[in-house]
PDB file of all heavy atoms in Angstrom:
ATOM      1  N   PHE A 362     -88.772  15.363 104.051  1.00 86.00           N
ATOM      2  CA  PHE A 362     -88.002  16.006 105.076  1.00 86.00           C
ATOM      3  C   PHE A 362     -86.611  16.407 104.596  1.00 86.00           C
ATOM      4  O   PHE A 362     -85.882  17.059 105.306  1.00 86.00           O
ATOM      5  CB  PHE A 362     -87.846  15.081 106.277  1.00 86.00           C
ATOM      6  CG  PHE A 362     -89.163  14.681 106.883  1.00 86.00           C
ATOM      7  CD1 PHE A 362     -89.797  13.487 106.603  1.00 86.00           C
ATOM      8  CD2 PHE A 362     -89.820  15.552 107.713  1.00 86.00           C
ATOM      9  CE1 PHE A 362     -90.981  13.143 107.167  1.00 86.00           C
ATOM     10  CE2 PHE A 362     -91.046  15.257 108.256  1.00 86.00           C
ATOM     11  CZ  PHE A 362     -91.624  14.045 108.010  1.00 86.00           C
ATOM     12  N   THR A 440     -59.195  22.640 100.035  1.00 84.00           N
ATOM     13  CA  THR A 440     -58.215  23.679 100.085  1.00 84.00           C
ATOM     14  C   THR A 440     -58.484  24.544 101.337  1.00 84.00           C
ATOM     15  O   THR A 440     -59.466  24.364 102.014  1.00 84.00           O
ATOM     16  CB  THR A 440     -58.395  24.605  98.828  1.00 84.00           C
ATOM     17  OG1 THR A 440     -59.682  25.187  98.926  1.00 84.00           O
ATOM     18  CG2 THR A 440     -58.234  23.811  97.568  1.00 84.00           C
ATOM     19  N   MET A 441     -57.527  25.397 101.614  1.00 84.00           N
ATOM     20  CA  MET A 441     -57.666  26.267 102.790  1.00 84.00           C
ATOM     21  C   MET A 441     -58.971  27.058 102.734  1.00 84.00           C
ATOM     22  O   MET A 441     -59.680  27.179 103.704  1.00 84.00           O
ATOM     23  CB  MET A 441     -56.448  27.236 102.722  1.00 84.00           C
ATOM     24  CG  MET A 441     -55.779  27.536 104.041  1.00 84.00           C
ATOM     25  SD  MET A 441     -55.599  26.161 105.056  1.00 84.00           S
ATOM     26  CE  MET A 441     -56.423  26.810 106.489  1.00 84.00           C
ATOM     27  N   ASN A 442     -59.204  27.663 101.586  1.00 86.00           N
ATOM     28  CA  ASN A 442     -60.436  28.446 101.417  1.00 86.00           C
ATOM     29  C   ASN A 442     -61.690  27.676 101.653  1.00 86.00           C
ATOM     30  O   ASN A 442     -62.582  28.126 102.369  1.00 86.00           O
ATOM     31  CB  ASN A 442     -60.485  29.071 100.012  1.00 86.00           C
ATOM     32  CG  ASN A 442     -59.635  30.356  99.960  1.00 86.00           C
ATOM     33  OD1 ASN A 442     -60.127  31.404 100.344  1.00 86.00           O
ATOM     34  ND2 ASN A 442     -58.399  30.224  99.486  1.00 86.00           N
ATOM     35  N   GLU A 443     -61.758  26.508 101.093  1.00 87.00           N
ATOM     36  CA  GLU A 443     -62.959  25.671 101.233  1.00 87.00           C
ATOM     37  C   GLU A 443     -63.127  25.329 102.736  1.00 87.00           C
ATOM     38  O   GLU A 443     -64.215  25.479 103.247  1.00 87.00           O
ATOM     39  CB  GLU A 443     -62.795  24.379 100.440  1.00 87.00           C
ATOM     40  CG  GLU A 443     -63.083  24.625  98.986  1.00 87.00           C
ATOM     41  CD  GLU A 443     -62.738  23.418  98.132  1.00 87.00           C
ATOM     42  OE1 GLU A 443     -61.994  22.531  98.611  1.00 87.00           O
ATOM     43  OE2 GLU A 443     -63.143  23.370  96.990  1.00 87.00           O
ATOM     44  N   HIS A 446     -64.165  28.728 104.585  1.00 88.00           N
ATOM     45  CA  HIS A 446     -65.481  29.307 104.245  1.00 88.00           C
ATOM     46  C   HIS A 446     -66.603  28.298 104.512  1.00 88.00           C
ATOM     47  O   HIS A 446     -67.709  28.719 104.891  1.00 88.00           O
ATOM     48  CB  HIS A 446     -65.471  29.679 102.779  1.00 88.00           C
ATOM     49  CG  HIS A 446     -64.424  30.658 102.444  1.00 88.00           C
ATOM     50  ND1 HIS A 446     -64.049  31.650 103.295  1.00 88.00           N
ATOM     51  CD2 HIS A 446     -63.620  30.814 101.363  1.00 88.00           C
ATOM     52  CE1 HIS A 446     -63.059  32.377 102.751  1.00 88.00           C
ATOM     53  NE2 HIS A 446     -62.790  31.851 101.567  1.00 88.00           N
ATOM     54  N   GLU A 447     -66.350  27.017 104.377  1.00 88.00           N
ATOM     55  CA  GLU A 447     -67.413  26.054 104.679  1.00 88.00           C
ATOM     56  C   GLU A 447     -67.715  26.010 106.182  1.00 88.00           C
ATOM     57  O   GLU A 447     -68.855  25.924 106.547  1.00 88.00           O
ATOM     58  CB  GLU A 447     -67.033  24.674 104.148  1.00 88.00           C
ATOM     59  CG  GLU A 447     -67.164  24.570 102.655  1.00 88.00           C
ATOM     60  CD  GLU A 447     -66.755  23.272 102.031  1.00 88.00           C
ATOM     61  OE1 GLU A 447     -66.480  22.251 102.826  1.00 88.00           O
ATOM     62  OE2 GLU A 447     -66.621  23.176 100.858  1.00 88.00           O
ATOM     63  N   HIS A 452     -71.324  27.824 110.789  1.00 89.00           N
ATOM     64  CA  HIS A 452     -71.699  28.692 111.890  1.00 89.00           C
ATOM     65  C   HIS A 452     -72.828  29.659 111.489  1.00 89.00           C
ATOM     66  O   HIS A 452     -73.785  29.832 112.248  1.00 89.00           O
ATOM     67  CB  HIS A 452     -70.499  29.585 112.317  1.00 89.00           C
ATOM     68  CG  HIS A 452     -69.467  28.831 113.104  1.00 89.00           C
ATOM     69  ND1 HIS A 452     -69.759  28.167 114.223  1.00 89.00           N
ATOM     70  CD2 HIS A 452     -68.150  28.630 112.873  1.00 89.00           C
ATOM     71  CE1 HIS A 452     -68.677  27.602 114.698  1.00 89.00           C
ATOM     72  NE2 HIS A 452     -67.688  27.882 113.880  1.00 89.00           N
ATOM     73  N   MET A 454     -75.195  29.114 109.269  1.00 89.00           N
ATOM     74  CA  MET A 454     -76.420  28.441 109.207  1.00 89.00           C
ATOM     75  C   MET A 454     -77.003  28.048 110.575  1.00 89.00           C
ATOM     76  O   MET A 454     -78.217  28.133 110.808  1.00 89.00           O
ATOM     77  CB  MET A 454     -76.310  27.189 108.324  1.00 89.00           C
ATOM     78  CG  MET A 454     -75.962  27.394 106.894  1.00 89.00           C
ATOM     79  SD  MET A 454     -76.904  28.723 106.117  1.00 89.00           S
ATOM     80  CE  MET A 454     -78.522  27.953 106.101  1.00 89.00           C
ATOM     81  N   ASP A 459     -81.105  29.251 114.555  1.00 87.00           N
ATOM     82  CA  ASP A 459     -81.459  29.771 115.867  1.00 87.00           C
ATOM     83  C   ASP A 459     -82.446  30.929 115.725  1.00 87.00           C
ATOM     84  O   ASP A 459     -83.371  31.020 116.507  1.00 87.00           O
ATOM     85  CB  ASP A 459     -80.276  30.257 116.629  1.00 87.00           C
ATOM     86  CG  ASP A 459     -79.378  29.130 117.038  1.00 87.00           C
ATOM     87  OD1 ASP A 459     -79.888  28.014 117.250  1.00 87.00           O
ATOM     88  OD2 ASP A 459     -78.123  29.292 117.123  1.00 87.00           O
ATOM     89  N   ILE A 460     -82.198  31.772 114.753  1.00 87.00           N
ATOM     90  CA  ILE A 460     -83.077  32.946 114.604  1.00 87.00           C
ATOM     91  C   ILE A 460     -84.452  32.504 114.103  1.00 87.00           C
ATOM     92  O   ILE A 460     -85.503  33.004 114.636  1.00 87.00           O
ATOM     93  CB  ILE A 460     -82.463  33.954 113.560  1.00 87.00           C
ATOM     94  CG1 ILE A 460     -81.227  34.596 114.202  1.00 87.00           C
ATOM     95  CG2 ILE A 460     -83.453  34.991 113.115  1.00 87.00           C
ATOM     96  CD1 ILE A 460     -80.508  35.546 113.306  1.00 87.00           C
ATOM     97  N   LYS A 463     -85.643  26.983 114.670  1.00 79.00           N
ATOM     98  CA  LYS A 463     -85.829  25.655 114.128  1.00 79.00           C
ATOM     99  C   LYS A 463     -84.670  24.829 114.587  1.00 79.00           C
ATOM    100  O   LYS A 463     -83.463  25.277 114.566  1.00 79.00           O
ATOM    101  CB  LYS A 463     -85.875  25.687 112.633  1.00 79.00           C
ATOM    102  CG  LYS A 463     -85.771  24.419 111.917  1.00 79.00           C
ATOM    103  CD  LYS A 463     -85.823  24.679 110.392  1.00 79.00           C
ATOM    104  CE  LYS A 463     -85.774  23.432 109.580  1.00 79.00           C
ATOM    105  NZ  LYS A 463     -84.508  22.714 109.631  1.00 79.00           N
ATOM    106  N   TYR A 467     -77.681  21.784 111.486  1.00 84.00           N
ATOM    107  CA  TYR A 467     -76.612  22.686 111.849  1.00 84.00           C
ATOM    108  C   TYR A 467     -76.586  22.970 113.352  1.00 84.00           C
ATOM    109  O   TYR A 467     -75.596  23.012 114.028  1.00 84.00           O
ATOM    110  CB  TYR A 467     -76.765  23.996 111.070  1.00 84.00           C
ATOM    111  CG  TYR A 467     -76.495  23.866 109.650  1.00 84.00           C
ATOM    112  CD1 TYR A 467     -77.555  23.769 108.720  1.00 84.00           C
ATOM    113  CD2 TYR A 467     -75.225  23.740 109.143  1.00 84.00           C
ATOM    114  CE1 TYR A 467     -77.302  23.610 107.398  1.00 84.00           C
ATOM    115  CE2 TYR A 467     -74.967  23.584 107.807  1.00 84.00           C
ATOM    116  CZ  TYR A 467     -75.998  23.530 106.919  1.00 84.00           C
ATOM    117  OH  TYR A 467     -75.777  23.369 105.586  1.00 84.00           O
ATOM    118  N   ALA A 492     -60.356  25.653 118.677  1.00 69.00           N
ATOM    119  CA  ALA A 492     -61.728  25.136 118.528  1.00 69.00           C
ATOM    120  C   ALA A 492     -61.935  24.496 117.141  1.00 69.00           C
ATOM    121  O   ALA A 492     -62.913  23.828 116.934  1.00 69.00           O
ATOM    122  CB  ALA A 492     -62.757  26.192 118.788  1.00 69.00           C
ATOM    123  N   ILE A 497     -56.595  23.993 111.303  1.00 82.00           N
ATOM    124  CA  ILE A 497     -55.221  23.857 111.570  1.00 82.00           C
ATOM    125  C   ILE A 497     -54.604  22.676 110.780  1.00 82.00           C
ATOM    126  O   ILE A 497     -53.515  22.772 110.181  1.00 82.00           O
ATOM    127  CB  ILE A 497     -54.948  23.690 113.085  1.00 82.00           C
ATOM    128  CG1 ILE A 497     -55.785  24.617 113.901  1.00 82.00           C
ATOM    129  CG2 ILE A 497     -53.438  23.809 113.376  1.00 82.00           C
ATOM    130  CD1 ILE A 497     -55.315  25.999 113.945  1.00 82.00           C
ATOM    131  N   TYR A 500     -54.264  23.270 107.227  1.00 85.00           N
ATOM    132  CA  TYR A 500     -53.115  24.210 107.023  1.00 85.00           C
ATOM    133  C   TYR A 500     -51.808  23.470 107.095  1.00 85.00           C
ATOM    134  O   TYR A 500     -50.941  23.612 106.179  1.00 85.00           O
ATOM    135  CB  TYR A 500     -53.176  25.293 108.116  1.00 85.00           C
ATOM    136  CG  TYR A 500     -52.002  26.206 108.036  1.00 85.00           C
ATOM    137  CD1 TYR A 500     -51.813  27.109 106.996  1.00 85.00           C
ATOM    138  CD2 TYR A 500     -51.032  26.186 109.048  1.00 85.00           C
ATOM    139  CE1 TYR A 500     -50.737  27.923 106.923  1.00 85.00           C
ATOM    140  CE2 TYR A 500     -49.907  27.024 109.009  1.00 85.00           C
ATOM    141  CZ  TYR A 500     -49.788  27.879 107.916  1.00 85.00           C
ATOM    142  OH  TYR A 500     -48.710  28.672 107.837  1.00 85.00           O
ATOM    143  N   ASP A 507     -46.535  21.757 100.249  1.00 83.00           N
ATOM    144  CA  ASP A 507     -45.700  22.805  99.629  1.00 83.00           C
ATOM    145  C   ASP A 507     -44.206  22.560  99.834  1.00 83.00           C
ATOM    146  O   ASP A 507     -43.409  22.646  98.891  1.00 83.00           O
ATOM    147  CB  ASP A 507     -46.033  24.177 100.112  1.00 83.00           C
ATOM    148  CG  ASP A 507     -47.432  24.589  99.648  1.00 83.00           C
ATOM    149  OD1 ASP A 507     -48.023  23.867  98.828  1.00 83.00           O
ATOM    150  OD2 ASP A 507     -47.913  25.614 100.103  1.00 83.00           O
TER     151      ASP A 507
ATOM    152  N   ARG B  34     -92.794  33.798 114.539  1.00 87.00           N
ATOM    153  CA  ARG B  34     -91.492  33.748 115.187  1.00 87.00           C
ATOM    154  C   ARG B  34     -90.980  35.226 115.365  1.00 87.00           C
ATOM    155  O   ARG B  34     -90.435  35.584 116.413  1.00 87.00           O
ATOM    156  CB  ARG B  34     -90.538  32.967 114.322  1.00 87.00           C
ATOM    157  CG  ARG B  34     -89.101  33.009 114.751  1.00 87.00           C
ATOM    158  CD  ARG B  34     -88.868  32.219 116.023  1.00 87.00           C
ATOM    159  NE  ARG B  34     -87.406  32.294 116.464  1.00 87.00           N
ATOM    160  CZ  ARG B  34     -86.972  31.918 117.618  1.00 87.00           C
ATOM    161  NH1 ARG B  34     -87.847  31.388 118.514  1.00 87.00           N
ATOM    162  NH2 ARG B  34     -85.756  32.006 117.942  1.00 87.00           N
ATOM    163  N   ASN B  60     -72.846  31.655 119.599  1.00 85.00           N
ATOM    164  CA  ASN B  60     -72.301  31.429 118.298  1.00 85.00           C
ATOM    165  C   ASN B  60     -71.096  32.282 118.061  1.00 85.00           C
ATOM    166  O   ASN B  60     -71.166  33.490 118.330  1.00 85.00           O
ATOM    167  CB  ASN B  60     -73.395  31.664 117.231  1.00 85.00           C
ATOM    168  CG  ASN B  60     -72.975  31.145 115.863  1.00 85.00           C
ATOM    169  OD1 ASN B  60     -71.883  31.397 115.416  1.00 85.00           O
ATOM    170  ND2 ASN B  60     -73.870  30.505 115.182  1.00 85.00           N
ATOM    171  N   LEU B  62     -69.892  33.553 115.538  1.00 86.00           N
ATOM    172  CA  LEU B  62     -70.121  34.593 114.560  1.00 86.00           C
ATOM    173  C   LEU B  62     -71.360  35.431 114.872  1.00 86.00           C
ATOM    174  O   LEU B  62     -71.866  36.109 113.983  1.00 86.00           O
ATOM    175  CB  LEU B  62     -70.274  33.971 113.177  1.00 86.00           C
ATOM    176  CG  LEU B  62     -69.077  33.135 112.648  1.00 86.00           C
ATOM    177  CD1 LEU B  62     -69.416  32.552 111.383  1.00 86.00           C
ATOM    178  CD2 LEU B  62     -67.839  33.964 112.598  1.00 86.00           C
ATOM    179  N   ARG B  95     -83.723  24.342  94.949  1.00 67.00           N
ATOM    180  CA  ARG B  95     -84.551  23.503  94.062  1.00 67.00           C
ATOM    181  C   ARG B  95     -86.030  23.584  94.413  1.00 67.00           C
ATOM    182  O   ARG B  95     -86.834  22.860  93.885  1.00 67.00           O
ATOM    183  CB  ARG B  95     -84.062  22.046  94.181  1.00 67.00           C
ATOM    184  CG  ARG B  95     -82.843  21.822  93.337  1.00 67.00           C
ATOM    185  CD  ARG B  95     -82.777  20.439  92.853  1.00 67.00           C
ATOM    186  NE  ARG B  95     -82.252  19.579  93.907  1.00 67.00           N
ATOM    187  CZ  ARG B  95     -82.058  18.290  93.762  1.00 67.00           C
ATOM    188  NH1 ARG B  95     -82.427  17.661  92.647  1.00 67.00           N
ATOM    189  NH2 ARG B  95     -81.543  17.559  94.735  1.00 67.00           N
ATOM    190  N   TYR B 116     -67.924  38.710 105.577  1.00 88.00           N
ATOM    191  CA  TYR B 116     -66.481  38.873 105.769  1.00 88.00           C
ATOM    192  C   TYR B 116     -66.082  40.298 105.588  1.00 88.00           C
ATOM    193  O   TYR B 116     -65.326  40.902 106.350  1.00 88.00           O
ATOM    194  CB  TYR B 116     -65.704  38.062 104.725  1.00 88.00           C
ATOM    195  CG  TYR B 116     -65.578  36.565 104.998  1.00 88.00           C
ATOM    196  CD1 TYR B 116     -66.417  35.697 104.344  1.00 88.00           C
ATOM    197  CD2 TYR B 116     -64.620  36.087 105.807  1.00 88.00           C
ATOM    198  CE1 TYR B 116     -66.311  34.318 104.530  1.00 88.00           C
ATOM    199  CE2 TYR B 116     -64.483  34.674 106.049  1.00 88.00           C
ATOM    200  CZ  TYR B 116     -65.315  33.866 105.349  1.00 88.00           C
ATOM    201  OH  TYR B 116     -65.211  32.478 105.603  1.00 88.00           O
ATOM    202  N   VAL B 137     -61.626  30.154 115.389  1.00 82.00           N
ATOM    203  CA  VAL B 137     -60.650  29.233 115.978  1.00 82.00           C
ATOM    204  C   VAL B 137     -60.383  29.596 117.431  1.00 82.00           C
ATOM    205  O   VAL B 137     -60.226  28.713 118.242  1.00 82.00           O
ATOM    206  CB  VAL B 137     -59.348  29.350 115.160  1.00 82.00           C
ATOM    207  CG1 VAL B 137     -58.315  28.332 115.709  1.00 82.00           C
ATOM    208  CG2 VAL B 137     -59.589  28.985 113.689  1.00 82.00           C
ATOM    209  N   ILE B 141     -54.520  29.142 120.384  1.00 78.00           N
ATOM    210  CA  ILE B 141     -53.775  29.199 119.126  1.00 78.00           C
ATOM    211  C   ILE B 141     -53.116  30.574 119.066  1.00 78.00           C
ATOM    212  O   ILE B 141     -53.682  31.579 119.390  1.00 78.00           O
ATOM    213  CB  ILE B 141     -54.741  28.930 117.957  1.00 78.00           C
ATOM    214  CG1 ILE B 141     -53.962  28.498 116.729  1.00 78.00           C
ATOM    215  CG2 ILE B 141     -55.630  30.075 117.581  1.00 78.00           C
ATOM    216  CD1 ILE B 141     -53.839  27.055 116.609  1.00 78.00           C
ATOM    217  N   SER B 148     -50.427  33.379 109.729  1.00 87.00           N
ATOM    218  CA  SER B 148     -49.868  32.619 108.596  1.00 87.00           C
ATOM    219  C   SER B 148     -50.991  31.847 107.895  1.00 87.00           C
ATOM    220  O   SER B 148     -50.942  31.696 106.676  1.00 87.00           O
ATOM    221  CB  SER B 148     -48.759  31.673 109.038  1.00 87.00           C
ATOM    222  OG  SER B 148     -49.046  31.049 110.228  1.00 87.00           O
ATOM    223  N   ARG B 152     -51.832  32.460 103.991  1.00 87.00           N
ATOM    224  CA  ARG B 152     -51.847  31.280 103.079  1.00 87.00           C
ATOM    225  C   ARG B 152     -53.175  31.237 102.333  1.00 87.00           C
ATOM    226  O   ARG B 152     -53.263  30.938 101.147  1.00 87.00           O
ATOM    227  CB  ARG B 152     -51.586  30.050 103.920  1.00 87.00           C
ATOM    228  CG  ARG B 152     -52.085  28.780 103.368  1.00 87.00           C
ATOM    229  CD  ARG B 152     -51.003  27.984 102.698  1.00 87.00           C
ATOM    230  NE  ARG B 152     -51.598  27.354 101.529  1.00 87.00           N
ATOM    231  CZ  ARG B 152     -50.979  26.478 100.796  1.00 87.00           C
ATOM    232  NH1 ARG B 152     -49.735  26.213 100.983  1.00 87.00           N
ATOM    233  NH2 ARG B 152     -51.598  25.923  99.804  1.00 87.00           N
ATOM    234  N   THR B 153     -54.273  31.447 103.117  1.00 88.00           N
ATOM    235  CA  THR B 153     -55.557  31.414 102.486  1.00 88.00           C
ATOM    236  C   THR B 153     -55.752  32.465 101.398  1.00 88.00           C
ATOM    237  O   THR B 153     -56.287  32.143 100.318  1.00 88.00           O
ATOM    238  CB  THR B 153     -56.665  31.634 103.586  1.00 88.00           C
ATOM    239  OG1 THR B 153     -56.401  30.786 104.676  1.00 88.00           O
ATOM    240  CG2 THR B 153     -58.034  31.360 103.050  1.00 88.00           C
ATOM    241  N   GLU B 156     -53.738  31.626  98.286  1.00 84.00           N
ATOM    242  CA  GLU B 156     -54.385  30.527  97.542  1.00 84.00           C
ATOM    243  C   GLU B 156     -55.508  30.999  96.663  1.00 84.00           C
ATOM    244  O   GLU B 156     -55.689  30.525  95.571  1.00 84.00           O
ATOM    245  CB  GLU B 156     -54.864  29.486  98.531  1.00 84.00           C
ATOM    246  CG  GLU B 156     -55.513  28.252  97.951  1.00 84.00           C
ATOM    247  CD  GLU B 156     -56.096  27.405  99.065  1.00 84.00           C
ATOM    248  OE1 GLU B 156     -55.412  26.639  99.696  1.00 84.00           O
ATOM    249  OE2 GLU B 156     -57.324  27.556  99.317  1.00 84.00           O
ATOM    250  N   ALA B 157     -56.319  31.927  97.186  1.00 85.00           N
ATOM    251  CA  ALA B 157     -57.475  32.376  96.501  1.00 85.00           C
ATOM    252  C   ALA B 157     -57.211  33.514  95.537  1.00 85.00           C
ATOM    253  O   ALA B 157     -57.866  33.658  94.498  1.00 85.00           O
ATOM    254  CB  ALA B 157     -58.595  32.814  97.475  1.00 85.00           C
ATOM    255  N   ARG B 176     -65.967  24.071  93.885  1.00 82.00           N
ATOM    256  CA  ARG B 176     -66.274  22.719  94.103  1.00 82.00           C
ATOM    257  C   ARG B 176     -67.284  22.501  95.246  1.00 82.00           C
ATOM    258  O   ARG B 176     -67.740  21.389  95.503  1.00 82.00           O
ATOM    259  CB  ARG B 176     -65.018  21.908  94.356  1.00 82.00           C
ATOM    260  CG  ARG B 176     -63.978  21.990  93.256  1.00 82.00           C
ATOM    261  CD  ARG B 176     -62.845  21.051  93.534  1.00 82.00           C
ATOM    262  NE  ARG B 176     -62.146  21.449  94.823  1.00 82.00           N
ATOM    263  CZ  ARG B 176     -61.105  20.759  95.274  1.00 82.00           C
ATOM    264  NH1 ARG B 176     -60.664  19.746  94.661  1.00 82.00           N
ATOM    265  NH2 ARG B 176     -60.507  21.110  96.369  1.00 82.00           N
ATOM    266  N   THR B 177     -67.583  23.562  95.951  1.00 82.00           N
ATOM    267  CA  THR B 177     -68.465  23.423  97.100  1.00 82.00           C
ATOM    268  C   THR B 177     -69.911  23.485  96.657  1.00 82.00           C
ATOM    269  O   THR B 177     -70.261  24.308  95.814  1.00 82.00           O
ATOM    270  CB  THR B 177     -68.239  24.579  98.093  1.00 82.00           C
ATOM    271  OG1 THR B 177     -66.887  24.593  98.450  1.00 82.00           O
ATOM    272  CG2 THR B 177     -69.076  24.397  99.316  1.00 82.00           C
ATOM    273  N   THR B 181     -76.476  23.205  99.071  1.00 81.00           N
ATOM    274  CA  THR B 181     -76.697  22.353 100.201  1.00 81.00           C
ATOM    275  C   THR B 181     -76.213  23.029 101.492  1.00 81.00           C
ATOM    276  O   THR B 181     -76.820  23.019 102.518  1.00 81.00           O
ATOM    277  CB  THR B 181     -75.931  21.027 100.076  1.00 81.00           C
ATOM    278  OG1 THR B 181     -75.996  20.609  98.734  1.00 81.00           O
ATOM    279  CG2 THR B 181     -76.439  19.991 101.000  1.00 81.00           C
ATOM    280  N   LYS B 182     -75.005  23.672 101.369  1.00 83.00           N
ATOM    281  CA  LYS B 182     -74.413  24.235 102.574  1.00 83.00           C
ATOM    282  C   LYS B 182     -75.206  25.429 103.110  1.00 83.00           C
ATOM    283  O   LYS B 182     -75.218  25.596 104.303  1.00 83.00           O
ATOM    284  CB  LYS B 182     -72.989  24.720 102.201  1.00 83.00           C
ATOM    285  CG  LYS B 182     -72.016  23.657 101.983  1.00 83.00           C
ATOM    286  CD  LYS B 182     -71.169  23.499 103.215  1.00 83.00           C
ATOM    287  CE  LYS B 182     -70.367  22.190 103.070  1.00 83.00           C
ATOM    288  NZ  LYS B 182     -69.982  21.668 104.399  1.00 83.00           N
ATOM    289  N   ARG B 186     -84.425  23.937 105.438  1.00 82.00           N
ATOM    290  CA  ARG B 186     -85.754  23.625 105.037  1.00 82.00           C
ATOM    291  C   ARG B 186     -86.666  24.419 105.988  1.00 82.00           C
ATOM    292  O   ARG B 186     -86.731  24.144 107.140  1.00 82.00           O
ATOM    293  CB  ARG B 186     -85.998  22.123 105.220  1.00 82.00           C
ATOM    294  CG  ARG B 186     -86.920  21.492 104.185  1.00 82.00           C
ATOM    295  CD  ARG B 186     -86.923  20.046 104.404  1.00 82.00           C
ATOM    296  NE  ARG B 186     -87.146  19.691 105.803  1.00 82.00           N
ATOM    297  CZ  ARG B 186     -88.371  19.629 106.361  1.00 82.00           C
ATOM    298  NH1 ARG B 186     -89.438  19.850 105.664  1.00 82.00           N
ATOM    299  NH2 ARG B 186     -88.470  19.358 107.646  1.00 82.00           N
TER     300      ARG B 186
END
Side-chain angles (χ1 to χ4, degrees):
Chain A
F362 300 101
T440 62
M441 222 40 236
N442 276 278
E443 282 170 345
H446 303 322
E447 284 177 11
H452 284 304
M454 295 315 292
D459 291 330
I460 289 178
K463 166 180 183 293
Y467 291 101
I497 316 283
Y500 174 71
D507 289 352
Chain B
R34 174 69 182 169
N60 190 314
L62 301 177
R95 282 210 279 180
Y116 283 97
V137 182
I141 200 96
S148 45
R152 155 99 217 188
T153 309
E156 181 189 277
R176 300 187 300 180
T177 305
T181 321
K182 288 258 168 204
R186 215 173 49 84

